[in-house]
Amino acid sequence: NKNFSELQLFEQEYNLPVTCISNNNKYILAGYSNGEIRSYSLESLSLYFILQSHIKCVTSISVNMQYLVTTGEDGFVNVYEINKEETLELKNNIELDNKIPVGVVFSNNKLYISSMDTPILSYIDNIID
C-alpha cells in the first residue's frame, strides 16, 4: 500500500497544466505550459515567486542552491544565478537552432541538454563566466 495524497498546490488563475517540476533543499519549482515558473516553499508549500521564463511551454528545470536552469518549447535555455538574497539574475540565454530542449542537467559549469527532435545529447561548456 502506497500513501498517495493530492495537494492542490499547482492551481493558478488560468488553470494551466504543470509541465515539469524540480526541487532543491528549499523549493519546489513548477514549470507551466504558458512559460511561467512558480516556486513553492518545501517547508510551508506557500508560493515564493513567479518567473516568466519562456514564451512557450517550460519543458525542463534543473536547480541547485546556486543556479536555476530552464528550457522551453521556444528553443531557449535560460541560466539564472540564485544570489545570497535569494533573487535571480539571468546569467545566460542560449537559443538552440531548430531544437526543442526537453531535458537539462547543470553540472560543473556545463549544460547537458536532450532535445525532442534528435537522439543526440548536447552539451555546452563554460556556461557561467
Side-chain angles (χ1 to χ4, degrees), residues 2 8-9 24 57 59 73-74 99 127:
K2 295 183 180 182
Q8 294 190 350
L9 176 65
N24 61 14
C57 178
T59 55
E73 265 185 3
D74 55 8
K99 293 192 178 0
I127 293 301

Side-chain angles (χ1 to χ4, degrees), residues 53-54 74 76-80 90-95 127:
S53 184
H54 295 274
D74 55 8
F76 282 89
V77 177
N78 295 322
V79 180
Y80 301 90
L90 183 64
K91 296 303 256 184
N92 212 328
N93 173 259
I94 304 156
E95 183 176 10
I127 293 301

Side-chain angles (χ1 to χ4, degrees), residues 31-122:
Y32 287 83
S33 61
N34 67 346
E36 180 179 280
I37 293 173
R38 288 184 177 219
S39 175
Y40 300 89
S41 165
L42 270 174
E43 190 173 301
S44 67
L45 300 180
S46 60
L47 181 64
Y48 185 67
F49 70 79
I50 300 171
L51 172 67
Q52 190 63 48
S53 184
H54 295 274
I55 58 171
K56 292 186 176 181
C57 178
V58 179
T59 55
S60 67
I61 300 170
S62 178
V63 65
N64 59 33
M65 295 310 286
Q66 193 173 3
Y67 294 99
L68 165 64
V69 182
T70 67
T71 66
E73 265 185 3
D74 55 8
F76 282 89
V77 177
N78 295 322
V79 180
Y80 301 90
E81 183 174 16
I82 305 168
N83 62 33
K84 292 178 184 172
E85 295 81 30
E86 294 186 352
T87 59
L88 299 176
E89 179 184 347
L90 183 64
K91 296 303 256 184
N92 212 328
N93 173 259
I94 304 156
E95 183 176 10
L96 303 177
D97 291 332
N98 300 315
K99 293 192 178 0
I100 299 174
V102 293
V104 66
V105 173
F106 179 74
S107 179
N108 297 324
N109 206 16
K110 296 177 187 172
L111 282 180
Y112 299 88
I113 304 164
S114 63
S115 297
M116 181 182 295
D117 44 2
T118 179
I120 298 168
L121 178 65
S122 304

